[in-house]
Amino acid sequence: MDLGLIIGYCASICSVASFVPQAIKIVRSGDTSAISTWMYLLTVTGFALWTWFGFLRGEIPIILTNATCFVLSALILAMKLRSAFSNRRHKLRKDA
């Protein structure tokens, strides 16, 4: 295994390890109020593009890292959107 691949796998581990605790906390608490919908939409798009790039280049570390982070960030975005729509619906009922 060459040095570049070792560095790629180490970077993958660091990236996923830094993202997982936040995802776990949000999934457990269900509290998405402190995160920006637009930022997570951009994040999900970025992870999707990096994953695609990894496939185009045949780079396993890029694919694994970004596919994992894509799934986690998409889950968080889905929770954020569900919460936003639920709050909006609740507010509309309250105002009616």
Side-chain angles (χ1 to χ4, degrees):
M1 189 178 300
D2 70 5
L3 182 59
L5 198 54
I6 292 169
I7 291 171
Y9 280 112
C10 289
S12 294
I13 291 167
C14 291
S15 295
V16 173
S18 71
F19 196 76
V20 168
Q22 179 182 10
I24 290 171
K25 181 178 180 182
I26 290 171
V27 169
R28 284 185 179 165
S29 71
D31 181 15
T32 59
S33 61
I35 63 172
S36 164
T37 303
W38 290 109
M39 188 276 300
Y40 260 86
L41 185 59
L42 189 59
T43 299
V44 168
T45 302
F47 286 135
L49 292 171
W50 273 112
T51 303
W52 187 12
F53 174 77
F55 277 110
L56 293 173
R57 305 284 290 184
E59 299 288 341
I60 299 300
I62 294 172
I63 296 166
L64 293 176
T65 301
N66 290 289
T68 301
C69 290
F70 169 78
V71 169
L72 294 172
S73 62
L75 175 65
I76 292 169
L77 178 62
M79 291 178 67
K80 177 68 176 178
L81 293 173
R82 186 182 74 187
S83 176
F85 286 125
S86 176
N87 290 342
R88 187 175 185 189
R89 211 175 308 150
H90 179 71
K91 184 179 178 189
L92 289 173
R93 285 185 199 152
K94 186 177 177 183
D95 291 342

